[in-house]
């Protein structure tokens, strides 16, 4: 497998997890959505943290790609957290 193939696969699974999380959040009861002003961002954050945990449990022999994916997930978590903070202030 090439670097491009592994990178695309990693991104695909991460984005799939986020999409599933957002879909689940979209079907929450109306009252729950009204109480929580950012259910989609919080679900995305949960999904990213789950991906982070799974990557941490994976075997290390991935040619550096697992570590790189962990770095990207960590950055994505930070961005979602910043987005939540920004929206809470504005």
């Amino acid at each position: 497998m090439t670097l491009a193939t592994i990178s695309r696969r990693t991104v695909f699974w991460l984005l799939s997890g986020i999409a599933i999380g957002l879909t689940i959040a979209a079907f929450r009861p109306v009252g729950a959505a009204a109480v929580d002003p950012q259910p989609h961002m919080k679900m995305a954050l949960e999904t990213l943290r789950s991906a982070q945990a799974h990557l941490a449990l994976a075997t290390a022999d991935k040619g550096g790609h697992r570590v790189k994916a962990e770095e990207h997930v960590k950055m994505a978590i930070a961005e979602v957290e910043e987005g939540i903070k920004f929206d809470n202030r504005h």
Side-chain angles (χ1 to χ4, degrees):
M1 288 187 197
T2 66
L3 172 64
T5 304
I6 293 172
S7 295
R8 280 190 223 120
R9 186 173 292 150
T10 301
V11 170
F12 169 79
W13 285 112
L14 290 173
L15 292 177
S16 294
I18 292 170
I20 290 167
L22 292 175
T23 301
I24 291 168
F27 289 101
R28 286 186 178 173
V30 174
V35 173
D36 187 354
Q38 298 188 54
H40 301 296
M41 291 292 279
K42 290 178 181 174
M43 184 58 74
L45 192 56
E46 251 181 68
T47 304
L48 285 165
R49 287 184 176 143
S50 176
Q52 186 178 44
H54 284 284
L55 286 167
L57 293 172
T59 57
D61 59 343
K62 306 287 188 262
H65 300 290
R66 180 188 57 85
V67 172
K68 191 71 166 177
E70 286 180 308
E71 292 169 7
H72 288 293
V73 171
K74 184 177 179 180
M75 288 187 292
I77 288 170
E79 289 298 326
V80 172
E81 290 173 337
E82 287 299 313
I84 290 169
K85 287 178 193 174
F86 179 85
D87 194 51
N88 286 341
R89 289 190 308 256
H90 295 93

